[in-house]
Amino acid sequence: MAVPPSYSDLGKAARDVFNKGYGFGMVKLELKTKSSSGVEFTATGSSNTDTGKALGNLETKYKIKDYGLTFIQKWNTDNTLGTEVSMEDQLAEGLKVALDTIFVPNTGKKSGKLKTSYRRDYVNLGCNIDIDLSGPTIYGWAVLGYEGWLAGYQMAFDTAKSKLSQNNFALGYKAGDFQLHTNVNDGTEFGGSIYQKVNNKVETSVNLAWTAGSNNTRFGIAAKYQLDEKTSIGAKVNNASLIGIGYTLALRPGVKLTLSGLIDGKNFSAGGHKVGLGFELEA
């Protein structure tokens, strides 16, 4: 049995069919490169076509493989600085320990989080603790896997108020070309998804969501078709009659173009539809 995914990655295959290859209302440029010394750089710029607001992010990553160390530094145009230092498989096999800090120079605000995770066959555990002297919040999760079946639990405990602020359960099944995921969040939010890889070219996904006390069930279906090794198209629709279409083309190795559009089927003639453009470069 392989190592099960973390709690946040349960149902990821289904979500990827819905989310990857779309960027409604955004124009986005992403550049990835790696220096000769092994430092990885990722620069991202985006503009919201509705508001005109532009955002930028810069991330650097450097690994010292002999010691299992990874250093990550982040900066964005909101002038937020982030640093993460992690060590993996050194204290114990499968154990990862990380310190993540955030600093906002304009306000002087500082925050941090200590992260730990442990991955072995049949089990994936994790615990994150906010560095807050007034009362940290403790986040924890556990996922158990056996013969394709997956069971997970996720919680958050507010020590300042001495109560659970998050209490989530999940159950799923994963086979080679099929995945089923169900979850209950805080006893009020119910959800589920189904993912199926029909063949090497076609992937499909269905998701459902329901809130206790409401008669409104939210659902959507999505599909992705790989036309050839360079081109793929995607389509999705939900119960609100929002129709999404995506087109991804690898222009050349390391250069990818993404075009997407969102159509409001209920108000087709009223306009307000959204388009998106993405351009990715990797050297």
Side-chain angles (χ1 to χ4, degrees):
M1 172 68 185
V3 176
S6 65
Y7 190 92
S8 61
D9 284 339
L10 291 173
K12 183 177 182 298
R15 292 195 300 270
D16 284 348
V17 178
F18 274 93
N19 299 329
K20 284 192 173 181
Y22 302 99
F24 309 128
M26 299 290 291
V27 177
K28 182 179 179 180
L29 173 64
E30 183 176 283
L31 172 63
K32 294 181 179 180
T33 186
K34 188 174 183 179
S35 70
S36 58
S37 60
V39 181
E40 300 175 23
F41 297 90
T42 302
T44 305
S46 62
S47 176
N48 189 303
T49 56
D50 292 332
T51 64
K53 183 178 180 180
L55 297 173
N57 299 274
L58 175 64
E59 177 182 306
T60 62
K61 179 187 292 187
Y62 181 64
K63 295 182 179 181
I64 304 177
K65 295 182 179 180
D66 293 342
Y67 298 97
L69 291 170
T70 302
F71 300 89
I72 300 175
Q73 290 187 314
K74 300 178 182 180
W75 171 86
N76 62 31
T77 48
D78 291 331
N79 204 22
T80 299
L81 305 176
T83 301
E84 181 177 312
V85 181
S86 63
M87 176 183 289
E88 189 169 4
D89 294 330
Q90 297 299 305
L91 301 176
E93 186 177 354
L95 177 63
K96 182 178 180 180
V97 180
L99 178 63
D100 190 1
T101 62
I102 295 176
F103 175 55
V104 183
N106 291 344
T107 62
K109 182 180 179 181
K110 303 174 184 177
S111 62
K113 185 176 292 186
L114 179 63
K115 303 177 179 179
T116 60
S117 62
Y118 182 68
R119 304 168 67 248
R120 299 290 289 176
D121 289 347
Y122 308 107
V123 64
N124 193 326
L125 308 172
C127 181
N128 300 338
I129 303 175
D130 284 336
I131 301 175
D132 187 351
L133 298 179
S134 63
T137 299
I138 302 172
Y139 305 88
W141 75 87
V143 178
L144 304 177
Y146 183 72
E147 294 185 352
W149 290 97
L150 298 166
Y153 175 68
Q154 182 186 56
M155 56 78 71
F157 183 75
D158 188 340
T159 59
K161 299 179 181 179
S162 298
K163 70 173 185 178
L164 284 174
S165 56
Q166 193 177 57
N167 191 33
N168 305 333
F169 297 89
L171 184 66
Y173 180 76
K174 181 178 181 180
D177 56 359
F178 174 83
Q179 295 185 31
L180 171 67
H181 171 66
T182 60
N183 66 280
V184 181
N185 295 342
D186 297 322
T188 58
E189 294 282 343
F190 301 84
S193 66
I194 298 173
Y195 165 85
Q196 183 172 14
K197 187 171 185 178
V198 180
N199 53 46
N200 290 334
K201 292 187 175 182
V202 180
E203 296 175 82
T204 61
S205 179
V206 178
N207 67 14
L208 296 167
W210 173 69
T211 302
S214 170
N215 294 324
N216 181 28
T217 299
R218 306 176 297 279
F219 67 88
I221 58 175
K224 178 184 177 182
Y225 180 64
Q226 193 74 32
L227 292 171
D228 53 45
E229 62 180 10
K230 295 182 178 180
T231 312
S232 66
I233 57 174
K236 60 182 179 178
V237 61
N238 63 19
N239 61 302
S241 298
L242 295 175
I243 305 166
I245 301 173
Y247 175 81
T248 301
L249 173 65
L251 300 175
R252 54 177 292 181
V255 182
K256 186 166 68 174
L257 173 69
T258 301
L259 302 172
S260 59
L262 181 65
I263 301 169
D264 188 345
K266 288 184 177 180
N267 302 287
F268 186 83
S269 59
H273 313 300
K274 296 183 178 182
V275 296
L277 170 65
F279 201 58
E280 297 179 27
L281 302 172
E282 185 171 355

